[in-house]
């Protein structure tokens, strides 16, 4: 039985197949950026439990969660509450997220930001770095 996650993965794989940008240019552009904020260091610096707080507009299974989301404001609230890192959904079609959400959240705080999306190609990893992500979430 196919699930909504299967459909989302199919969508991302089709987009990846159609992406004809030269990988070498993306790798070079990503490599030329300033260093990332240390995800591991942020997690290890926490006393006890380290929280990775999520910025997510909607869920394919639950529908809208936070339609009026202001990613910068929420990021600041999470930091004030003790978050060690942020996880920002960038999947637009299924989760309502965007590159702009990640950029706004990262600009508003100084903790590491993870791009949470369906990462199915090396292009996706480069794109994460180019949009400002300090880390990517890989689910296997």
């Amino acid at each position: 039985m196919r699930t909504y996650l299967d459909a989302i993965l199919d969508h991302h794989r089709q987009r990846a197949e159609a992406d004809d940008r030269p990988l070498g240019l993306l790798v070079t552009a990503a490599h030329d950026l300033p260093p990332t904020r240390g995800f591991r260091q942020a997690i290890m610096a926490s006393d006890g439990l380290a929280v990775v707080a999520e910025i997510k507009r909607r869920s394919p299974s639950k529908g809208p969660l936070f339609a009026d989301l202001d990613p910068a404001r929420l990021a600041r609230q999470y930091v004030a509450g003790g978050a060690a890192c942020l996880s920002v959904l960038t999947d637009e079609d299924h989760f309502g997220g965007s590159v702009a959400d990640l950029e706004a959240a990262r600009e508003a705080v100084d903790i590491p930001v993870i791009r949470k999306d369906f990462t199915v190609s090396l292009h996706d990893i480069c794109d994460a770095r180019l949009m400002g992500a300090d880390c990517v979430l890989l689910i296997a």
Side-chain angles (χ1 to χ4, degrees):
M1 174 191 266
R2 288 183 49 82
T3 67
Y4 65 88
L5 290 176
D6 293 322
I8 295 170
L9 269 172
D10 288 347
H11 170 82
H12 281 272
R13 287 180 177 139
Q14 288 170 3
R15 285 181 48 190
E17 277 185 34
D19 189 345
D20 61 356
R21 296 173 297 160
L23 183 60
L25 293 178
L26 295 174
V27 169
T28 299
H31 187 267
D32 290 344
L33 293 173
T36 59
R37 299 170 183 171
F39 175 78
R40 182 176 190 273
Q41 295 88 333
I43 295 294
M44 299 304 290
S46 296
D47 243 357
L49 182 66
V51 173
V52 178
E54 185 172 69
I55 295 177
K56 179 177 179 179
R57 290 181 184 273
R58 74 173 182 254
S59 164
S61 62
K62 304 274 188 214
L65 301 172
F66 200 161
D68 299 344
L69 179 90
D70 177 342
R73 181 173 181 230
L74 187 55
R76 288 189 293 271
Q77 289 172 334
Y78 280 150
V79 168
C85 301
L86 297 178
S87 173
V88 181
L89 262 293
T90 58
D91 177 292
E92 192 167 339
D93 296 320
H94 306 95
F95 290 86
S98 68
V99 173
D101 285 352
L102 188 141
E103 292 170 340
R106 189 172 193 277
E107 187 176 307
V109 298
D110 61 0
I111 62 174
V113 176
I114 298 170
R115 178 190 188 191
K116 187 172 180 184
D117 208 319
F118 289 79
T119 303
V120 298
S121 74
L122 293 173
H123 286 77
D124 293 334
I125 294 170
C126 290
D127 286 339
R129 182 68 184 107
L130 292 171
M131 68 180 65
D134 299 293
C135 191
V136 293
L137 176 66
L138 296 177
I139 301 172

